[in-house]
PDB file of all heavy atoms in Angstrom:
ATOM      1  N   THR V 590     308.855  20.369  43.175  1.00 95.00           N
ATOM      2  CA  THR V 590     307.875  19.383  42.755  1.00 95.00           C
ATOM      3  C   THR V 590     307.206  19.927  41.493  1.00 95.00           C
ATOM      4  O   THR V 590     307.248  21.130  41.213  1.00 95.00           O
ATOM      5  CB  THR V 590     306.809  19.154  43.843  1.00 95.00           C
ATOM      6  OG1 THR V 590     306.080  20.384  44.036  1.00 95.00           O
ATOM      7  CG2 THR V 590     307.450  18.739  45.163  1.00 95.00           C
ATOM      8  N   ARG V 591     306.605  19.053  40.720  1.00 93.00           N
ATOM      9  CA  ARG V 591     305.978  19.488  39.473  1.00 93.00           C
ATOM     10  C   ARG V 591     304.873  20.516  39.742  1.00 93.00           C
ATOM     11  O   ARG V 591     304.734  21.516  39.043  1.00 93.00           O
ATOM     12  CB  ARG V 591     305.407  18.279  38.724  1.00 93.00           C
ATOM     13  CG  ARG V 591     305.059  18.591  37.275  1.00 93.00           C
ATOM     14  CD  ARG V 591     304.618  17.341  36.549  1.00 93.00           C
ATOM     15  NE  ARG V 591     305.623  16.304  36.571  1.00 93.00           N
ATOM     16  CZ  ARG V 591     306.700  16.298  35.786  1.00 93.00           C
ATOM     17  NH1 ARG V 591     306.893  17.298  34.935  1.00 93.00           N
ATOM     18  NH2 ARG V 591     307.571  15.311  35.846  1.00 93.00           N
ATOM     19  N   ASN V 592     304.107  20.293  40.813  1.00 94.00           N
ATOM     20  CA  ASN V 592     303.029  21.210  41.152  1.00 94.00           C
ATOM     21  C   ASN V 592     303.575  22.580  41.567  1.00 94.00           C
ATOM     22  O   ASN V 592     303.058  23.623  41.164  1.00 94.00           O
ATOM     23  CB  ASN V 592     302.174  20.621  42.268  1.00 94.00           C
ATOM     24  CG  ASN V 592     301.034  21.531  42.674  1.00 94.00           C
ATOM     25  OD1 ASN V 592     300.222  21.932  41.847  1.00 94.00           O
ATOM     26  ND2 ASN V 592     300.978  21.873  43.954  1.00 94.00           N
ATOM     27  N   ALA V 593     304.630  22.584  42.384  1.00 93.00           N
ATOM     28  CA  ALA V 593     305.205  23.848  42.846  1.00 93.00           C
ATOM     29  C   ALA V 593     305.813  24.637  41.692  1.00 93.00           C
ATOM     30  O   ALA V 593     305.704  25.865  41.642  1.00 93.00           O
ATOM     31  CB  ALA V 593     306.259  23.593  43.914  1.00 93.00           C
ATOM     32  N   LEU V 594     306.435  23.943  40.741  1.00 92.00           N
ATOM     33  CA  LEU V 594     307.025  24.629  39.599  1.00 92.00           C
ATOM     34  C   LEU V 594     305.943  25.329  38.783  1.00 92.00           C
ATOM     35  O   LEU V 594     306.133  26.455  38.314  1.00 92.00           O
ATOM     36  CB  LEU V 594     307.798  23.651  38.727  1.00 92.00           C
ATOM     37  CG  LEU V 594     308.635  24.280  37.610  1.00 92.00           C
ATOM     38  CD1 LEU V 594     309.749  25.130  38.193  1.00 92.00           C
ATOM     39  CD2 LEU V 594     309.214  23.203  36.695  1.00 92.00           C
ATOM     40  N   ALA V 595     304.800  24.676  38.630  1.00 92.00           N
ATOM     41  CA  ALA V 595     303.687  25.301  37.907  1.00 92.00           C
ATOM     42  C   ALA V 595     303.176  26.520  38.656  1.00 92.00           C
ATOM     43  O   ALA V 595     302.850  27.546  38.049  1.00 92.00           O
ATOM     44  CB  ALA V 595     302.574  24.271  37.706  1.00 92.00           C
ATOM     45  N   ARG V 596     303.110  26.426  39.974  1.00 92.00           N
ATOM     46  CA  ARG V 596     302.626  27.543  40.790  1.00 92.00           C
ATOM     47  C   ARG V 596     303.618  28.709  40.813  1.00 92.00           C
ATOM     48  O   ARG V 596     303.245  29.840  41.117  1.00 92.00           O
ATOM     49  CB  ARG V 596     302.352  27.069  42.212  1.00 92.00           C
ATOM     50  CG  ARG V 596     301.176  26.106  42.333  1.00 92.00           C
ATOM     51  CD  ARG V 596     301.073  25.544  43.740  1.00 92.00           C
ATOM     52  NE  ARG V 596     300.815  26.596  44.709  1.00 92.00           N
ATOM     53  CZ  ARG V 596     301.010  26.454  46.026  1.00 92.00           C
ATOM     54  NH1 ARG V 596     301.500  25.312  46.513  1.00 92.00           N
ATOM     55  NH2 ARG V 596     300.733  27.454  46.848  1.00 92.00           N
ATOM     56  N   LEU V 597     304.868  28.437  40.481  1.00 90.00           N
ATOM     57  CA  LEU V 597     305.875  29.499  40.459  1.00 90.00           C
ATOM     58  C   LEU V 597     305.576  30.508  39.341  1.00 90.00           C
ATOM     59  O   LEU V 597     305.924  31.685  39.460  1.00 90.00           O
ATOM     60  CB  LEU V 597     307.265  28.884  40.259  1.00 90.00           C
ATOM     61  CG  LEU V 597     308.478  29.724  40.622  1.00 90.00           C
ATOM     62  CD1 LEU V 597     308.468  30.099  42.091  1.00 90.00           C
ATOM     63  CD2 LEU V 597     309.761  28.971  40.286  1.00 90.00           C
ATOM     64  N   GLU V 598     304.951  30.035  38.272  1.00 89.00           N
ATOM     65  CA  GLU V 598     304.490  30.895  37.170  1.00 89.00           C
ATOM     66  C   GLU V 598     305.604  31.770  36.605  1.00 89.00           C
ATOM     67  O   GLU V 598     305.484  32.989  36.493  1.00 89.00           O
ATOM     68  CB  GLU V 598     303.310  31.773  37.635  1.00 89.00           C
ATOM     69  CG  GLU V 598     302.084  30.969  38.035  1.00 89.00           C
ATOM     70  CD  GLU V 598     300.933  31.855  38.498  1.00 89.00           C
ATOM     71  OE1 GLU V 598     301.188  33.030  38.840  1.00 89.00           O
ATOM     72  OE2 GLU V 598     299.788  31.379  38.505  1.00 89.00           O
ATOM     73  N   LEU V 599     306.706  31.121  36.229  1.00 86.00           N
ATOM     74  CA  LEU V 599     307.811  31.826  35.592  1.00 86.00           C
ATOM     75  C   LEU V 599     307.990  31.297  34.168  1.00 86.00           C
ATOM     76  O   LEU V 599     307.853  30.105  33.909  1.00 86.00           O
ATOM     77  CB  LEU V 599     309.110  31.630  36.383  1.00 86.00           C
ATOM     78  CG  LEU V 599     309.181  32.328  37.744  1.00 86.00           C
ATOM     79  CD1 LEU V 599     310.488  31.976  38.438  1.00 86.00           C
ATOM     80  CD2 LEU V 599     309.054  33.835  37.596  1.00 86.00           C
ATOM     81  N   ALA V 600     308.319  32.184  33.267  1.00 86.00           N
ATOM     82  CA  ALA V 600     308.514  31.795  31.876  1.00 86.00           C
ATOM     83  C   ALA V 600     309.780  30.961  31.722  1.00 86.00           C
ATOM     84  O   ALA V 600     310.708  31.044  32.537  1.00 86.00           O
ATOM     85  CB  ALA V 600     308.607  33.049  31.003  1.00 86.00           C
ATOM     86  N   ASP V 601     309.822  30.166  30.651  1.00 84.00           N
ATOM     87  CA  ASP V 601     310.994  29.316  30.404  1.00 84.00           C
ATOM     88  C   ASP V 601     312.276  30.138  30.297  1.00 84.00           C
ATOM     89  O   ASP V 601     313.335  29.722  30.767  1.00 84.00           O
ATOM     90  CB  ASP V 601     310.799  28.505  29.124  1.00 84.00           C
ATOM     91  CG  ASP V 601     309.774  27.393  29.301  1.00 84.00           C
ATOM     92  OD1 ASP V 601     309.436  27.083  30.456  1.00 84.00           O
ATOM     93  OD2 ASP V 601     309.320  26.843  28.276  1.00 84.00           O
TER      94      ASP V 601
END
Side-chain angles (χ1 to χ4, degrees):
T590 64
R591 195 175 302 282
N592 180 56
L594 189 65
R596 292 173 63 198
L597 198 61
E598 297 180 342
L599 290 177
D601 288 345

